[in-house]
Amino acid sequence: MPAGAHGDTYGAQHLPELWCVRHGETEWSRMHRHTGRTDLLLTPAGEEAARGLAPRLAGIDFDLVLTSPLRRARHTAELAGFPHAEPVDDAREWDYGEAEGITTQEVRASRPGWTLWRDGAPGGEDPAAVGARCDRLVARVRVPGVRRALLVAHAHLLRVLTARWLGQRPVDGAHYLLDTATVSVLGWERETPALLRWNA
């Protein structure tokens, strides 16, 4: 049985659930390299983990199924049993700019003390820009007719999205660590936005 509020209403409010899946492992995610707009494939281990999502999501009634248009997310959606997921540009990963393809340690070699959450990506997006995209995704889900939605996307994007779902600042996504090929569920405690499941 799905966790939490079951996409019901509380009073006059419409209270859908949003199930969030991070894509399977890529070579860069395995090496902790910032992977934004680079369109990488899943590793064999990433494909296996994505297939393992299928029985966990089977039989759940989703009114809306979205995915990042990047191949690692689309392929994860396909292997998880959702080949017709709708690609949505707002679900792309954070644009890391000059940090693309390198680690935090490597960025800090030229920018001591740098953190993505405070400073944003040099030549790329800042937290507010990613937050604006996430707000549009949240609005896409919180409409009448959607009781339960699924989104297959990326770590930093989903962390910001979670913060915005909860009414927090985009930078508060820093507190929500997220592994590859995991399922998280955003929903409600009565009328209050809540985390129902995380990084499972």
Side-chain angles (χ1 to χ4, degrees), residues 112-192:
W114 175 81
T115 170
L116 179 70
W117 297 101
R118 183 190 63 225
D119 304 322
E125 288 182 299
D126 61 19
V130 181
R133 293 199 279 118
C134 290
D135 286 347
R136 292 193 291 268
L137 290 169
V138 169
R140 179 81 188 273
V141 172
R142 291 182 180 176
V143 295
V146 176
R147 295 181 64 248
R148 189 172 295 111
L150 174 68
L151 172 62
V152 182
H154 312 273
H156 280 117
L157 184 285
L158 291 173
R159 292 167 68 180
V160 175
L161 177 69
T162 297
R164 298 304 297 144
W165 182 275
L166 298 173
Q168 299 171 341
R169 303 169 302 164
V171 296
D172 292 323
H175 299 288
Y176 304 113
L177 297 180
L178 194 59
D179 297 323
T180 54
T182 50
V183 178
S184 301
V185 183
L186 309 179
W188 306 85
E189 168 60 24
R190 298 185 175 87
E191 72 280 7
T192 301

Side-chain angles (χ1 to χ4, degrees), residues 26-39:
T26 68
E27 191 63 28
W28 282 9
S29 70
R30 186 180 64 81
M31 301 171 66
H32 304 290
R33 296 183 179 275
H34 290 99
T35 315
R37 302 305 173 98
T38 304
D39 206 6

Side-chain angles (χ1 to χ4, degrees), residues 21-26 29 35 40-42 46 49-50 53 68 70-77 93 151-155 158 178-182:
V21 171
R22 185 185 173 192
H23 64 76
E25 178 193 80
T26 68
S29 70
T35 315
L40 297 181
L41 298 175
L42 299 178
L53 293 167
S68 162
L70 295 172
R71 287 185 293 179
R72 57 192 183 273
R74 287 190 291 110
H75 195 194
T76 297
E93 180 60 296
L151 172 62
V152 182
H154 312 273
L158 291 173
L178 194 59
D179 297 323
T180 54
T182 50

Side-chain angles (χ1 to χ4, degrees), residues 48-94:
E48 181 179 357
R51 289 188 191 95
L53 293 167
R56 301 178 60 193
L57 299 171
I60 298 171
D61 184 20
F62 292 108
D63 302 301
L64 181 66
V65 180
L66 306 175
T67 181
S68 162
L70 295 172
R71 287 185 293 179
R72 57 192 183 273
R74 287 190 291 110
H75 195 194
T76 297
E78 292 166 2
L79 294 173
F82 300 92
H84 303 297
E86 177 189 346
V88 179
D89 199 59
D90 278 335
R92 289 177 180 268
E93 180 60 296
W94 199 310

